[in-house]
Amino acid sequence: MSEPLKKQTRYMPGLDGLRALALIGVMSYHWGFDFAPGGFLGVSIFFVLSGYLITDILASQWRNYGRIDLKDFWYRRFRRLLPAMFTMLLIVVAWVTLFDHTRLSSLRGDVVGAVTYISNWQFIFQDISYFDAFGPPSPLGHMWSLAVEEQFYLLWPLIMLIGLYLFPRRGQMFQFILVLAGISALAMGLIYDPGSDPSRVYFGTDTRAFGLLIGSALAIVWPSYKRTSTTSPIVRISLDVVGITALLYVIYMMHNTDRYDATLYQGGMVILSLTVAVVVAVLAHPASLLGKVMGIKPLRWIGVRSYGIYLWHYPVIILTSPNGSPIENSALHTALQIVASVILASLSWKYIEEPIRHGALKVMWYKIRHPQWRPGLISLKNWIIACSTLLLIGISCTGMMTSISGATNTESAFEDMIVSPDEPVTIPNQTVPETPPLTPDPNKNTENHSPDDSVSPPDSPPSSGQQQNQEELVQKPNKNPAEAPEDKPEPKDPAVDQSSTQGGQTDKNSKPQSGKSITAIGDSVMLGVAPYLEKQLPGIFIDAKVGRQMAQAEDLIPGLKANGRLNGTVIIGLGTNGAFSSKKLESLLDSLSSAKQVILINTKVPRDWERSVNTMLAEISQQYPNTTLVDWHAASKDHPEYFRPDHVHLEPSGAAAYTALIMSAIKK
């Protein structure tokens, strides 16, 4: 067996400062800070950095020894990454087992994906969105980027060996790596579908490898060992000017980038990675003043512990925030989460990562092979550590085994969000008595919902007094939403039998309005309200599906148009599951030009895309004369009683209020 090859690269503190900047960006994005909407681009910085440093090490081994010791390289990578990750996983599983066991069934698969470093592909095949994840997010949702890097660590040394044999000259090797990076960047541009969720190209190793490869190409033409501090003043100034300009551009992108901007996935992220490579090149040069500034002690302290902080911050956010979302956290709550993340990472660094880097595993292995179990030889501290570790492992194993038995119940999880058919319904100024479950029309399309998913429908339309209040939440076509609504109610249409009100009680003898010319397209919220709409609008056609995105609605149009379902009123209730591009919404509304009325319902969802969705609906609805906007967000803002525990799906009173708003928007 050959002797292990020692690392032949020098320490570059400025790169730790850049790593700290990347970490701050990612954490700011995950906490939803307004100043960093593009903070997720910090991952691109990590990729370029990793590509540069890893290739610099491998190229140094090749230069000094004429070979690359794969076993030594992989051992060092696993020794650096696995212990901290396994510790985090043990504690997360133990926490969920003890305090949040409802997550166990989904967590099991995430743990397997994290341990095997395939989380990114797992998320792709399970159609999990990085940007639009709805419902309680996984505390391991950040492991995808570590999976991409670990896959690179496994494959790149082999590919590099082949490249070094085929292209021994530095320039040839550089071109070889750039070709691979170009293929990856081209794959991102071709696979990305503008207006759709970009998670496929964001997660994919094939579509993100260009960042790592750009860093690798830089290491070939800008190796750290060739950079010296002896250089002319002009070179120093030029380095710093170029480096500062590139760094400012990177910060600008993290401050201003819209995650749904199509140009980001059609070359924008490649440009960002090239700019990061320029910053890395400057920081790696010992003559750079920028390298010394970025290498100041606070940034270096964060950068050195960035792996542990990255590991811990996301589980801390998810497991200690209401519904796993930090957007409703107070400033104190967020500050405590940040402090907790840093403390956990610091403990991991001091007691796990650093000792293992300095040979603790060999010492432990020696003690296992040569045990000395006399009680006096084991300190109290070691006993506490051993017992705590065994307890954590026991709790975690119990939780994972419990999740196996509970996995069969995951399919019925959504049923808990559906209102029971026998619950009484009460909304302000309107009381709806209990009603028996609906018997669906056997001739009606029930493909997307069933009686088992129904909510209890109201017996009558909203009272005229209630309807007048509801009309203030309905934006009429081409009406400026900033203008105050008229005080007088809309005149009653004789074709519609309006309900009378006595003391807020609806008239049970009122007749529902025909819904034969009305079509509703929606997601799980619409699915839950469907029985209400069916009761108020007999004959309405409802196509609602759990998890539906706005981008998927246009696929339904040809079939609906062929069946003559788009000539009357079309209700669109989408946006719960994520944002969408303006082009997608405009394209959908263009395809509904034949409809007499299109009703857009905005959303109330405790996620960071809520504002983007509602703003876009308000702005674009003004451009279409046949479009009316229903402001569900404003109507439900001060009514927590409308919502189930997830703050999105509706209780009986919420379902009634939602339906009443739609009824007031429909042209009589």
Side-chain angles (χ1 to χ4, degrees):
M1 181 184 295
S2 60
E3 290 295 321
L5 302 179
K6 294 183 179 180
K7 183 178 176 181
Q8 300 293 318
T9 57
R10 60 181 174 82
Y11 175 59
M12 295 165 277
L15 297 186
D16 272 331
L18 183 61
R19 190 179 282 114
L21 176 65
L23 177 67
I24 291 170
V26 173
M27 292 174 67
S28 299
Y29 174 77
H30 286 158
W31 262 291
F33 296 154
D34 292 337
F35 64 81
F40 62 92
L41 295 175
V43 174
S44 296
I45 300 177
F46 283 133
F47 285 169
V48 176
L49 270 171
S50 294
Y52 178 79
L53 293 171
I54 293 303
T55 304
D56 197 41
I57 292 172
L58 295 174
S60 177
Q61 288 187 359
W62 180 264
R63 182 185 70 254
N64 293 322
Y65 300 97
R67 59 192 175 89
I68 294 177
D69 191 332
L70 296 177
K71 180 181 177 181
D72 177 69
F73 173 79
W74 286 328
Y75 170 74
R76 289 174 181 272
R77 287 294 88 203
F78 288 135
R79 185 184 65 181
R80 173 71 182 91
L81 300 175
L82 291 182
M85 185 190 71
F86 282 145
T87 302
M88 182 273 292
L89 292 177
L90 276 174
I91 293 177
V92 166
V93 174
W95 175 281
V96 171
T97 302
L98 294 174
F99 305 112
D100 196 3
H101 62 276
T102 57
R103 294 179 183 268
L104 280 174
S105 59
S106 59
L107 186 64
R108 176 173 172 262
D110 294 339
V111 170
V112 173
V115 169
T116 56
Y117 285 108
I118 59 169
S119 294
N120 61 322
W121 292 108
Q122 179 186 38
F123 295 162
I124 288 172
F125 292 130
Q126 292 178 354
D127 199 23
I128 295 175
S129 171
Y130 178 71
F131 301 103
D132 297 335
F134 177 73
S138 169
L140 304 180
H142 64 318
M143 297 299 291
W144 73 270
S145 64
L146 300 180
V148 171
E149 290 201 25
E150 191 63 29
Q151 291 161 30
F152 177 78
Y153 297 154
L154 287 173
L155 297 176
W156 179 238
L158 300 174
I159 297 173
M160 188 172 172
L161 268 176
I162 296 172
L164 288 169
Y165 279 113
L166 294 178
F167 309 106
R169 298 178 65 86
R170 189 184 304 275
Q172 293 174 332
M173 187 64 182
F174 175 72
Q175 294 173 13
F176 169 65
I177 297 175
L178 284 186
V179 168
L180 295 179
I183 293 172
S184 173
L186 184 63
M188 172 175 274
L190 292 176
I191 296 175
Y192 173 64
D193 179 19
S196 65
D197 183 273
S199 293
R200 164 60 184 91
V201 295
Y202 191 79
F203 283 142
T205 308
D206 53 344
T207 51
R208 294 305 302 270
F210 63 81
L212 292 151
L213 292 169
I214 286 172
S216 298
L218 177 65
I220 297 298
V221 297
W222 195 265
S224 61
Y225 81 94
K226 278 196 169 186
R227 312 278 76 82
T228 64
S229 56
T230 341
T231 186
S232 67
I234 295 178
V235 172
R236 291 172 184 264
I237 294 173
S238 300
L239 278 172
D240 289 326
V241 169
V242 172
I244 291 172
T245 303
L247 182 61
L248 288 176
Y249 175 77
V250 172
I251 294 173
Y252 171 82
M253 289 288 287
M254 295 172 71
H255 177 64
N256 291 280
T257 299
D258 180 359
R259 58 192 172 176
Y260 298 104
D261 186 350
T263 60
L264 184 63
Y265 309 98
Q266 296 173 328
M269 204 171 286
V270 178
I271 295 173
L272 175 76
S273 298
L274 291 170
T275 308
V276 172
V278 173
V279 178
V280 171
V282 173
L283 296 179
H285 202 295
S288 166
L289 177 62
L290 181 62
K292 294 179 176 61
V293 173
M294 291 294 291
I296 60 175
K297 192 171 182 178
L299 288 178
R300 196 168 69 247
W301 190 92
I302 296 173
V304 166
R305 293 159 180 78
S306 59
Y307 174 64
I309 298 174
Y310 182 85
L311 276 178
W312 282 105
H313 86 281
Y314 199 71
V316 168
I317 292 174
I318 301 306
L319 296 177
T320 63
S321 297
N323 301 304
S325 174
I327 63 173
E328 297 181 358
N329 288 356
S330 65
L332 177 61
H333 191 164
T334 298
L336 291 175
Q337 289 180 329
I338 294 173
V339 170
S341 302
V342 174
I343 290 175
L344 287 167
S346 299
L347 293 173
S348 173
W349 170 260
K350 183 175 181 179
Y351 295 107
I352 297 173
E353 298 169 58
E354 274 292 274
I356 288 176
R357 285 182 62 198
H358 292 89
L361 287 179
K362 291 182 179 179
V363 174
M364 184 184 301
W365 179 242
Y366 177 83
K367 289 182 177 180
I368 291 174
R369 293 182 62 187
H370 304 85
Q372 296 179 356
W373 298 114
R374 292 197 302 274
L377 294 178
I378 302 179
S379 66
L380 177 62
K381 182 181 77 172
N382 289 337
W383 273 111
I384 294 174
I385 292 174
C387 293
S388 300
T389 302
L390 290 175
L391 181 62
L392 270 177
I393 294 173
I395 294 173
S396 300
C397 290
T398 301
M400 295 300 287
M401 294 303 295
T402 302
S403 72
I404 296 176
S405 63
T408 55
N409 297 324
T410 56
E411 293 182 1
S412 61
F414 179 72
E415 294 179 3
D416 293 337
M417 300 300 171
I418 302 299
V419 183
S420 169
D422 297 324
E423 295 182 67
V425 179
T426 304
I427 62 175
N429 299 324
Q430 177 180 352
T431 302
V432 182
E434 298 181 12
T435 53
L438 289 176
T439 302
D441 185 343
N443 298 320
K444 188 176 182 300
N445 186 326
T446 60
E447 179 181 353
N448 292 296
H449 57 274
S450 67
D452 294 336
D453 294 331
S454 65
V455 296
S456 54
D459 271 355
S460 64
S463 67
S464 58
Q466 177 68 14
Q467 182 174 355
Q468 179 175 350
N469 294 331
Q470 291 157 355
E471 287 176 354
E472 297 178 3
L473 301 170
V474 177
Q475 175 191 321
K476 300 301 189 295
N478 284 342
K479 186 178 179 66
N480 190 332
E483 296 176 4
E486 297 180 11
D487 293 331
K488 60 182 180 180
E490 183 175 319
K492 298 179 182 178
D493 190 323
V496 179
D497 185 3
Q498 300 286 344
S499 62
S500 61
T501 304
Q502 295 180 358
Q505 184 73 27
T506 57
D507 185 355
K508 295 182 180 181
N509 297 321
S510 63
K511 296 180 180 179
Q513 179 180 338
S514 174
K516 291 182 179 179
S517 62
I518 300 175
T519 297
I521 300 172
D523 47 36
S524 56
V525 175
M526 183 73 73
L527 184 64
V529 178
Y532 271 84
L533 293 173
E534 290 167 347
K535 183 69 175 181
Q536 294 291 342
L537 300 165
I540 185 176
F541 180 86
I542 301 174
D543 191 328
K545 181 180 179 181
V546 176
R548 176 172 285 158
Q549 300 269 1
M550 181 71 75
Q552 298 169 322
E554 198 170 358
D555 298 336
L556 306 174
I557 300 304
L560 294 172
K561 185 172 290 187
N563 292 323
R565 298 298 319 182
L566 302 180
N567 297 323
T569 297
V570 179
I571 304 169
I572 305 292
L574 294 168
T576 302
N577 300 294
F580 42 84
S581 69
S582 58
K583 291 181 180 179
K584 280 292 180 182
L585 179 57
E586 289 168 351
S587 177
L588 175 62
L589 294 178
D590 288 340
S591 67
L592 297 175
S593 58
S594 62
K596 292 181 180 178
Q597 182 187 23
V598 177
I599 297 176
L600 293 177
I601 309 171
N602 69 13
T603 189
K604 184 73 168 66
V605 54
R607 294 293 184 270
D608 58 356
W609 61 82
E610 177 190 78
R611 184 186 306 172
S612 173
V613 166
N614 292 343
T615 300
M616 189 172 296
L617 289 172
E619 291 176 352
I620 294 181
S621 64
Q622 293 295 305
Q623 303 171 16
Y624 291 83
N626 67 337
T627 301
T628 302
L629 179 67
V630 170
D631 196 348
W632 171 240
H633 181 272
S636 59
K637 184 177 181 180
D638 298 321
H639 294 282
E641 72 278 6
Y642 284 177
F643 298 98
R644 291 282 181 167
D646 66 355
H647 302 297
V648 178
H649 297 96
L650 304 179
E651 294 283 3
S653 59
Y658 192 93
T659 303
L661 276 178
I662 294 175
M663 294 297 297
S664 68
I666 295 175
K667 290 180 179 178
K668 308 301 188 292

